[in-house]
Amino acid sequence: MSELIFQKQGYLKEFDCKIIEVNKEENAVILDKTAFYPGGGGQPCDVGLLKTSTNEYVIKKVKKKGKNIYHYIDAKLPNIDEDCIGKIDWDHRYKLMRTHTAMHILCGIVWRDYKAQVTGGNMEPLKGRMDFEFENLDKDLIKEIEEKVNKEVENKRNINVNILKREEAFQIPDLIRTKINLLPEGINEIRTIEIEGLDLQADGGTHVKNTGEVGKIKVVDYKSKGKINKRLYIELED
């Protein structure tokens, strides 16, 4: 298994690594450690470069398959045991970090003030959508939510990452905010993201260190997806 650097070092832009396996069918490599996020929980994967002493490879996609992280390239595969430098596309990554934290701010506000659970979500750089168990949602409530999430940006709350034993993690009330618990039974350690004083959730993605980094959040649209399922669309200022 690769060491998952992104779990604790979300701001790492470059890292030393070694190719420990190549997969010709997938045209992908597995590294001994990686800072590339493989996607999940609605957050897209990272992209970037992999540099060896003789070549530079474009990482066009990263995906977790079983216990391995596959880094897909558009070129002839390098050799096993070759030393490399991984380089994250930082503009793409940082926009996703800001967006993901914005989604957690939104989720934290909606849970704290309205006790509405999340039923789904997705994001791309600087925009995303999240579904909640709201029975009624109107323009006045949307405006109220938007004002509250931006207040939390202004509050510049610190964001902490922790990895807890499963038994310890599940003693935390309301750790799982999704309607369905998406954590497989076999996972023994749970990664948590805490926005101090606002939100604490199990989460595997990358985030900024402080809500102030997110920037202004706009709720640009909302839709009814069912009797008690409402969708909010957000965008961030670049």
Side-chain angles (χ1 to χ4, degrees):
M1 291 178 63
S2 304
E3 179 187 350
L4 307 181
I5 306 173
F6 60 81
Q7 287 193 335
K8 293 185 177 180
Q9 301 183 58
Y11 284 76
L12 190 65
K13 302 174 186 178
E14 293 189 18
F15 61 100
D16 295 326
C17 55
K18 179 178 285 189
I19 296 168
I20 59 173
E21 188 177 329
V22 297
N23 187 305
K24 293 182 179 179
E25 290 184 2
E26 301 278 353
N27 212 70
V29 300
I30 300 172
L31 307 173
D32 64 338
K33 53 181 172 290
T34 184
F36 286 90
Y37 181 63
Q43 180 178 339
C45 70
D46 286 324
V47 293
L49 300 173
L50 189 66
K51 298 180 180 180
T52 68
S53 60
T54 58
N55 210 342
E56 182 175 282
Y57 302 90
V58 175
I59 303 296
K60 60 175 185 174
K61 182 176 71 170
V62 185
K63 186 177 181 180
K64 184 176 182 183
K65 298 189 72 173
K67 295 182 178 181
N68 293 315
I69 306 292
Y70 283 72
H71 304 73
Y72 295 83
I73 61 179
D74 273 331
K76 183 180 178 181
L77 291 168
N79 298 317
I80 295 177
D81 292 331
E82 197 161 0
D83 291 324
C84 309
I85 297 174
K87 186 174 182 180
I88 304 294
D89 181 333
W90 181 245
D91 181 65
H92 179 260
R93 156 72 79 80
Y94 189 60
K95 286 177 179 177
L96 286 171
M97 288 166 66
R98 289 173 55 207
T99 306
H100 200 163
T101 300
M103 302 281 269
H104 276 232
I105 295 171
L106 175 62
C107 184
I109 289 294
V110 170
W111 178 254
R112 183 192 69 188
D113 295 351
Y114 312 102
K115 293 302 178 190
Q117 284 187 306
V118 177
T119 57
N122 213 335
M123 73 188 83
E124 55 187 282
L126 302 184
K127 61 175 63 176
R129 59 93 175 163
M130 188 164 277
D131 299 346
F132 296 98
E133 275 197 328
F134 270 114
E135 186 167 352
N136 298 306
L137 194 63
D138 56 30
K139 289 183 178 179
D140 289 338
L141 184 53
I142 293 293
K143 182 179 179 181
E144 180 179 299
I145 292 171
E146 183 180 79
E147 290 173 351
K148 287 180 176 180
V149 295
N150 281 296
K151 180 63 177 177
E152 297 303 336
V153 172
E154 295 171 6
N155 285 340
K156 296 184 178 180
R157 295 184 183 272
N158 290 328
I159 296 163
N160 305 314
V161 179
N162 288 294
I163 297 179
L164 307 175
K165 294 294 183 182
R166 188 182 184 94
E167 297 78 12
E168 180 184 358
F170 278 94
Q171 291 177 9
I172 300 171
D174 306 320
L175 182 68
I176 308 300
R177 296 293 174 75
T178 51
K179 182 67 174 175
I180 300 172
N181 185 348
L182 301 176
L183 294 174
E185 288 294 331
I187 295 179
N188 295 319
E189 292 184 327
I190 307 297
R191 182 173 178 268
T192 64
I193 299 296
E194 177 193 18
I195 304 177
E196 290 183 357
L198 175 64
D199 190 55
L200 176 60
Q201 292 189 54
D203 184 82
T206 56
H207 291 265
V208 293
K209 294 179 179 177
N210 187 285
T211 60
E213 295 182 51
V214 170
K216 188 173 182 180
I217 303 169
K218 296 180 180 178
V219 180
V220 294
D221 199 4
Y222 69 99
K223 293 180 180 178
S224 176
K225 304 299 290 184
K227 184 178 179 180
I228 56 169
N229 191 25
K230 304 298 185 290
R231 177 169 293 178
L232 298 178
Y233 295 86
I234 66 166
E235 291 184 3
L236 277 61
E237 289 188 350
D238 198 353

